[in-house]
Amino acid sequence: MKKFLELISDEMKKGFIQAGYDEELGRVTVSNRPDLCEYQCNGAMAGAKKYHKAPIMIANDVAAKLADSEVFCEVAAVAPGFLNLKLKESFVRDYLKEMAASEKFGLEAPETAKTIVIDYGGPNVAKPLHVGHLRSAIIGESIKRICRYNGHQVIGDVHLGDWGLQMGLIITELKLRKPELPYFDEAFDGEYPKEAPFTVSELEEIYPTASGKSKEDPAYKQEALEATLKLQSGNRGYRALWKHIIDVSVADLKKNYADLNVEFDFWKGESDADPIIPGMVEELKQSGLAHESEGALVVDVKEETDTKEIPPCIILKSDGAALYATTDLATIKDRMENLHADSLIYLTDKRQEMHFLQVFRVARKSGMVSSDTELKHIGFGTMNGKDGKPFKTREGGVMRLEYLIRDINEEMYRKIVESREDISEEEARETAKIIGLAAIKYGDLSNQASKDYIFDIDRFTSFEGDTGPYILYTIVRIKSILNKYREQGGNLEELAFQNASNAAEKDLMMQLSGFNAMMKGAYQEKAPHKICAYIYDLANAFNKFYHETKILTEENPEKKAGWIALLLLTQQVLETCIDVLGFSAPDRM
Ligand code: ARG
């Protein structure tokens, strides 16, 4: 289905053609003087030079041709040559009617669906999730859903940090604590136990302990390095133990991500790239791209047009060890060869910008990715506390994600029981969880990803203003009216849109009609904040209409059914948008 603004521009272009002017002049934009008109066209001004005519004359010619338009009820040529436009109510009504009857409200499917891999989350095994991982998960999940809704084939991969020194550290500490375990017995050739020799809470304690010790004690660190090497070179016992660490950790991560309504298609990790590394390194050497520098193997990636220093990408350290970049390159190779990706998108803190710039350049230079494959790093800003510094616990430590969610839910719960006496404890807790998630996610996603933002519990959990709870409140309000309409005997299957009868209603209708252009734009720019801005405007337009209109007591059944049709569409569009953002609305609140 054509976009609303496209149809309007098409009509305007017809006017220009009929008046003997270039159709390109007929581009229409939303009015920047909403007090004067709804849309505007500045083409007459642009055409003045070409046609050696005063803009107002051109504008008058075009306006005359559009006097009987099906689209415009008003085309006013005003000095010095603007065309101020108002839409016919019937045109807006028919557009909504078609939208409501179309799949995805008329959003057009792409000509060819792309295969897009989104690398997000990126937690490290055996370390609890902290707020730093929150943004990657929230933004990545939304971008995944945006791409999917726009008709593409999307694969979300968590890309676990499961292969580095942290593994060696845990193994070293376990060996110290439980040397009797068969994993450390080189002579053991039986089957290893199925049960892990630790719980997830033990694991979460072991890692920081080991990490602390290694900083104090060089011998301990040396042992951890050796353990890492032993694991990476395939020691049977270490591999078995490592598998336990992954399993225990992943089970816990899945639970945490599920609470965030975040879901991955692939649970691959850095370790999966490991077998690809030797062959890839060989190819980089063979092609002459990689060369030795101070004992290390590097690829030069700087380009003449660079305005800042781009250091070479290190592929292997002088001791032969692979690095973060090596793993990422091998993973790209894997994603290209096995998934034939058209686009690879990464979500990390923007401090990793240089890393991805280097990796992408090596990938392109080596021909690992073709020129028509898109490589995109979306670097996001920091989530700060009210003091403007990175978000911390009250004691100044790194805030665990679990606690942050708990705090938000607690605050939401407090607000719910304060405003509703009739609610049961259970429902209040359940509802608090749903609204709490919306508060966190909307608070994050409504900012442009690259910007830092302040995590403000009071503001995020407010039912008023540009917040998640406000959007949910609006949806719940609509649901309640629709329920009452049903209780009055109304049938939601038999509704017909009517012409708008007042300005607030027309405004709401025009907001709705912008859905598919907005959704396409959010996809093109990978910008969830555009969806947030849209639903905030839509919710405001709805609430204005609602306060001015007595819907359920309206006596004219057609008029009433028309309003209900409008409500239903508003609810569906809002719920689709929040689903794409990665949260949902309760039935009551
Ligand atoms: N585990 C990494 C970290 O905590 C993030 C991984 C991001 N993805 C990637 N392919 N490099 O910083």
Side-chain angles (χ1 to χ4, degrees), residues 464-496:
E464 279 154 39
D466 190 7
T467 70
Y470 169 67
I471 304 291
L472 298 195
Y473 192 77
T474 305
I475 294 173
V476 168
R477 170 175 274 166
I478 299 176
K479 282 186 184 176
S480 137
I481 304 169
L482 294 178
N483 279 338
K484 286 193 188 126
Y485 182 72
R486 267 196 220 96
E487 281 161 19
Q488 290 180 345
N491 185 348
L492 296 186
E493 311 289 323
E494 289 166 14
L495 302 169

Side-chain angles (χ1 to χ4, degrees), residues 203-479:
L203 206 54
E204 285 178 357
E205 174 268 319
I206 291 174
Y207 174 74
T209 307
S211 165
K213 280 190 187 173
S214 79
K215 279 177 196 132
E216 314 257 280
D217 181 353
Y220 189 94
K221 169 128 195 219
Q222 188 53 35
E223 217 176 303
L225 283 169
E226 276 160 30
T228 311
L229 203 66
K230 225 163 142 176
L231 166 71
Q232 298 191 340
S233 47
N235 178 284
R236 195 171 153 262
Y238 282 23
R239 281 291 176 121
L241 195 53
W242 170 78
K243 184 94 183 31
H244 282 312
I245 303 175
I246 305 277
D247 289 347
V248 168
S249 196
V250 164
D252 187 56
L253 284 169
K254 283 194 174 159
K255 196 168 75 35
N256 277 295
Y257 282 124
D259 283 344
L260 283 173
N261 203 8
V262 168
E263 223 176 83
F264 297 95
D265 305 291
F266 284 4
W267 279 84
K268 290 195 159 201
E270 295 180 3
S271 65
D272 290 289
D274 190 62
I276 305 167
I277 291 178
M280 179 190 79
V281 169
E282 210 32 56
E283 281 169 27
L284 288 173
K285 278 191 193 161
Q286 293 286 327
S287 66
L289 213 54
H291 65 89
E292 230 184 85
S293 168
E294 296 169 41
L297 189 71
V298 307
V299 173
D300 292 324
V301 289
K302 65 167 189 266
E303 286 168 11
E304 258 171 38
T305 49
D306 288 340
T307 51
K308 61 176 180 200
E309 182 65 22
I310 313 288
C313 182
I314 307 177
I315 307 294
L316 295 177
K317 284 201 292 189
S318 50
D319 64 0
L323 293 123
Y324 188 40
T326 328
T327 326
D328 264 328
L329 279 166
T331 308
I332 291 182
K333 198 171 154 66
D334 181 40
R335 288 174 181 163
M336 289 310 297
E337 286 172 5
N338 293 311
L339 302 171
H340 311 287
D342 299 300
S343 174
L344 300 177
I345 300 175
Y346 296 80
L347 281 125
T348 75
D349 189 301
K350 66 181 171 205
R351 281 171 291 192
Q352 294 196 29
E353 221 153 70
M354 180 60 86
H355 164 77
F356 284 103
L357 184 71
Q358 292 174 307
V359 166
F360 290 170
R361 284 192 181 177
V362 177
R364 290 229 186 270
K365 280 180 104 171
S366 65
M368 227 179 258
V369 296
S370 53
S371 56
D372 50 9
T373 299
E374 175 194 45
L375 295 171
K376 192 179 180 74
H377 173 230
I378 301 177
F380 48 79
T382 311
M383 179 172 132
N384 289 325
K386 272 189 178 169
D387 57 359
K389 300 207 188 86
F391 199 82
K392 291 267 159 63
T393 60
R394 234 167 277 153
E395 293 72 37
V398 174
M399 180 77 153
R400 284 180 65 148
L401 194 51
E402 278 181 76
Y403 300 154
L404 177 110
I405 294 173
R406 186 196 58 195
D407 289 356
I408 281 263
N409 289 354
E410 218 30 67
E411 178 62 15
M412 248 16 284
Y413 173 77
R414 206 187 53 72
K415 286 196 170 150
I416 291 168
V417 290
E418 201 180 74
S419 64
R420 282 186 50 194
E421 285 136 22
D422 58 323
I423 196 166
S424 73
E425 164 83 15
E426 196 192 346
E427 192 187 343
R429 290 272 170 212
E430 224 13 75
T431 310
K433 248 165 97 175
I434 300 174
I435 312 177
L437 188 62
I440 296 180
K441 288 197 167 187
Y442 191 93
D444 188 306
L445 295 169
S446 53
N447 301 285
Q448 208 176 317
S450 61
K451 299 223 166 95
D452 296 350
Y453 74 95
I454 291 182
F455 189 86
D456 181 343
I457 288 202
D458 295 333
R459 189 170 80 77
F460 287 7
T461 58
S462 168
F463 288 103
E464 279 154 39
D466 190 7
T467 70
Y470 169 67
I471 304 291
L472 298 195
Y473 192 77
T474 305
I475 294 173
V476 168
R477 170 175 274 166
I478 299 176
K479 282 186 184 176

Side-chain angles (χ1 to χ4, degrees), residues 3-5 39 95-96 99 508-520 534 573:
K3 295 188 202 85
F4 194 59
L5 200 54
Y39 289 84
Y95 191 83
L96 289 197
M99 237 181 107
L508 172 60
M509 292 172 95
M510 289 194 294
Q511 268 300 323
L512 280 167
S513 65
F515 171 82
N516 41 38
M518 177 287 295
M519 195 47 99
K520 188 91 184 278
Y534 174 78
V573 166

Side-chain angles (χ1 to χ4, degrees), residues 104-151:
K104 293 185 182 176
F105 312 107
L107 176 71
E108 277 175 11
E111 259 168 53
T112 42
K114 285 189 177 158
T115 300
I116 303 173
V117 179
I118 306 191
D119 180 313
Y120 69 107
N124 299 313
V125 160
K127 297 189 200 169
L129 287 176
H130 60 76
V131 299
H133 292 114
L134 183 67
R135 297 210 72 192
S136 181
I138 292 180
I139 304 168
E141 180 70 20
S142 175
I143 292 181
K144 181 184 79 181
R145 292 172 183 226
I146 292 173
C147 293
R148 230 171 238 169
Y149 192 80
N150 273 272

